[in-house]
Amino acid sequence: MTKSLINIEDLSVGFIAKGGLPTPVLRQVSLELVAGETLGIVGESGSGKSTVALAMMGYLKPGLSLFGGRAVFDGNDMFALSEKKRAKLRGSSIALIPQNAGQALTPTLTIGDQIDEALQLHTDLSGAERAAKVVELLNRVRLPEPAEIAKRYPHELSGGQQQRAAVAMALAGNAKALLLDEPTTGLDVTTQAHILEFLRELAREMGVAMVYVSHDMGVIARVADRVAVMYSGEIVEEGPTRRVLREPRHEYTKNLLAAIPRLDAPNKRPNLRPDAQQTLKLDDVAISYHKPGLLDRLLRRPAKRPNVEHVSLGLKRGQTIGLVGESGSGKSTILRAIAGLVEAQGGEIALAGDQALTAPVGRRDRETLRRVQMIFQNADASLNPRQTIGEILEAPLRLYYGKKGKQAEGKAAELLGAVRLPAEYLRRFPSQLSGGEKQRVGIARAFAANPEVTLCDEITSALDVSVQATALELLSRLQQENGSSYVFVSHDLAVVRAVSDWVAVLYQGRLCEVGPVEKVYANPFHPYTRLLMGAVLRPDPDAVPEILNEVDLKVQECGYSKLWAEIDMERTKSKQPLQHDLGDGHVVYFNMSPESVAQMRVKGRDPAAGSNSVPRSSADRVLEPAE
Amino acid sequence: MMNLLQTVISRPSGALGLGLTLFHVLMALFAPWIAPYDPTMQNADAILLAPSFEHWMGTDTLGRDVFSRVLHGGRLAIAVTFSAAVIATLWGGFAGIFFGTVGGRVDEFSMRIVDAFLSMPWLLFLLLIISIGGAGPVTIIPTLGFFYGVAILRVVRGAAMQVAARDFVTAAKARGERLWPVIAREVFPNLSDILLVEGAMRWSWMLLAFSSLSFLGFGATPPTPDWGLMVAQERGLLSTAPWGVFWPCFALSSLIIGINLLADAIGKALGLDRATAIAV
């Protein structure tokens, strides 16, 4: 039997509520971890997963106190130690990597100086030795040109690089255990996949024990040897990752796994009706946040590339189009342009009946405004904390239908019923509602206008998976009842597959690929689409993200900006966008030879061909000129 | 509202602040009935008497009862500065919310004018206006109200900008609400706390400003009993008859401290941090 490195015994933590009632946050949690092992702690918000991780280093968030039990790390009872000894252990033997490494790094010190400081604290190396060690550590976390990176400030690194630098700093103290609190949650999927692979290797190479806290089963499946599932302060199930994911024993784990949208689950939406009326059309839309100033005009500086350009999309009544892409891909910008919150500089946006949507909100008439409604990502921020739910729901009723008093209240209650909330919620304030309930109010508010187009901006990304499933179900039911069309923006490809009829993949403000969801997911052609889909993590211990593919890595290195530059050159030559129709509305914006287009068309008709048979080498064509 | 009052009183400093403020306001209201002597009545036989049972706070150079004068001394100051504080909060608050919500060039341009006003030495400016317009409340109230309103405007505008950037305001704009409904329904309700606290703070500062004016001879005119004026008249005798200066000073500072503590407690009860004047 190996000696355990971290041992948590019957740990109970809680706070004293108003009136002196002790309220537990953790109830008799017991966990054990040996050196070199990776433990995943998974749970929804408020399950106490972060509290357990922090307790391993003898830390409790302000307001919490120890009710009972012990947390032993490397033979030290962390809560019994003196503050001084505890501080010495933290940062040297046991280190925390927080969710947002960018905020955890000191902005005024270079990366090198910060690691050097950690080395000074925890080792007695000389100045020159430390300088060499800094480069070695940065090299170990696989940052390119470590000597260069050491001289940079945190803001000069990307999110993934910041996360690696934070790991390097933790390793400076020769950490035996790393506590990772949702370290990849804010990152793009491709970056996340890279970081996770790196952490796996690190654990193997250096024998560091890791505790990985996450809400994402896919992430846990990839990194953890063992997993502990938490629910309201208790560990409901614990065991080897494979066993827990394959044969969950506890009811909660089963439900949790069932609620996760799967990337490979076929879409169960009713078949597309080709005769449906077109409700939204975007034609060669360009949006720019940069307005040329007086100086720019005087100096005749060339205009900057728009944030979004050459975007053409169509949407029919009762259908949903998913916009996917990483941060900065322009998916939210397109949504804001349709809503009229930003002005499109070029191209055309129109509703059914050729009602132009190019004008910003202030110049649209009331009827046009009513036809387009938006649901926000953060339900909490989108509801006025000083208004009751009733007042919030009555605002659109008053504005669009002139409803007041009893009449408005009755309609508001009806709307609440439609989102499965009781009518007495009308008198409540948003702070009295849970996150999922708030988002349902946000949905009800949008449907108060009975819109033709509903814009959904990452509306489930702040919700737990079980709550997310309910919200998505609600949306599709409302769509069947009202026939509204959805533009669904999300970074989660699995969610998009579950709710959309069409999908548009965006990269740096341009379309890569548009098509019916089933076609694009089964048969992605554009290398970026494949890269994105390959990086998605599944709650399956045997699924290996395809990001490791050499070709994809090469494509990512050479960068897509280059790809766009090349397409631009071709465009100016041929005076038309370089796009290839693969049939059934599946369009790829890419340089490729007519032969491969023909090949793809054939494949597109035969779903049995599957995505695995797509020639991997097609990515090499990125840099080949089109014939 | 009752809830707010309870939270304020539950802190010792809040209870003290509320008590002091209420005490002074009540004293000022009922001074004519409480005061043992006529505050303007001179008595040649009782000049500069030390505090005694007959004259609790002694008498001044003209033989007037200091206790009666201190009781009356806050009436004009409280009435004038409270009216000015209401004016300042209303106009400064309204303009601040408006510019903060509208933003853009209108806001940018107006803020430069505000900067210009904030950079003026306000006391000299007050003196200039009062020497032109006369020393009555009719001049002082709007002048104080205007100048302190500029400072309130600045603070409220900053807070309004933060509120206007939040999603529920964006949602209202995307819905197509016009400017006035956005200001009245979405932005203002989130700033009423800040207005209340700011107004109370500025009120206490105005008390000090008004007393300074009286001290300099531009506020209350003799023989009106007024704290600032009393200090000015008796300051030559500080070493021989300190009570003539001490008691009006004590009254004024206890009222200012009281209002400050009260404003602080209200702010904390509402979850505001006065250091930034932004909701936390």
Side-chain angles (χ1 to χ4, degrees), chain A residues 361 381 384 386-387 398 400, chain B residues 168 173 175 185 189-190 193:
Chain A
V361 145
N384 191 337
R386 293 300 166 89
Q387 290 179 348
R398 183 185 54 240
Y400 301 129
Chain B
F168 59 83
K173 285 181 185 162
R175 197 159 63 224
R185 292 207 190 92
N190 285 286
D193 314 350

Side-chain angles (χ1 to χ4, degrees), chain A residues 189-191 193-194 197 531 534-535 544-550 552-553 556:
Chain A
V189 275
T190 49
T191 318
H194 280 293
E197 289 323 304
L531 183 76
V544 180
E546 286 170 35
I547 187 98
L548 296 174
N549 188 302
E550 288 284 314
D552 287 337
L553 285 175
Q556 210 194 22

Side-chain angles (χ1 to χ4, degrees), chain A residues 253-262:
Chain A
T253 320
K254 284 181 197 164
N255 292 338
L256 194 63
L257 283 167
I260 302 172
R262 306 286 173 131

Side-chain angles (χ1 to χ4, degrees), chain A residues 199-358:
Chain A
L199 287 173
R200 277 165 64 92
E201 279 173 43
L202 194 73
R204 209 178 311 137
E205 246 169 57
M206 308 196 46
V208 186
M210 293 204 281
V211 177
Y212 200 107
V213 176
S214 181
H215 69 281
D216 189 337
M217 275 289 191
V219 169
I220 296 290
R222 192 65 198 134
V223 294
D225 305 316
R226 253 178 340 117
V227 61
V229 183
M230 291 198 65
Y231 178 70
S232 93
E234 278 175 273
I235 294 182
V236 294
E237 182 159 5
E238 197 212 326
T241 308
R242 184 179 305 274
R243 205 275 297 150
V244 172
L245 291 178
R246 285 277 156 84
E247 304 147 30
R249 287 177 194 155
H250 195 277
E251 210 50 40
Y252 176 74
T253 320
K254 284 181 197 164
N255 292 338
L256 194 63
L257 283 167
I260 302 172
R262 306 286 173 131
L263 185 67
D264 42 10
N267 169 309
K268 287 190 210 99
R269 294 175 61 83
N271 285 334
L272 299 184
R273 293 228 317 273
D275 56 325
Q277 186 201 4
Q278 177 118 347
T279 51
L280 180 69
K281 203 180 89 188
L282 277 77
D283 189 21
D284 201 21
V285 170
I287 307 155
S288 180
Y289 283 118
H290 180 81
K291 278 194 190 135
L294 189 64
L295 201 61
D296 293 321
R297 266 178 277 165
L298 281 178
L299 296 174
R300 303 195 175 209
R301 285 188 192 144
K304 285 194 180 153
R305 193 169 88 82
N307 300 71
V308 168
E309 56 180 341
H310 307 310
V311 170
S312 303
L313 295 169
L315 184 59
K316 289 180 174 169
R317 189 177 144 77
Q319 298 188 351
T320 300
I321 184 163
L323 302 186
V324 297
E326 304 193 325
S327 48
S329 63
K331 52 192 193 303
S332 287
T333 305
I334 294 173
L335 218 56
R336 294 175 76 85
I338 300 172
L341 294 168
V342 294
E343 200 170 351
Q345 269 75 33
E348 210 176 298
I349 309 176
L351 281 174
D354 283 331
Q355 174 61 55
L357 280 182
T358 322

Side-chain angles (χ1 to χ4, degrees), chain A residues 453-469:
Chain A
V453 175
T454 310
L455 309 169
C456 309
D457 190 5
E458 298 264 15
I459 60 167
T460 60
S461 65
L463 303 177
D464 283 325
V465 276
S466 56
V467 183
Q468 166 177 291

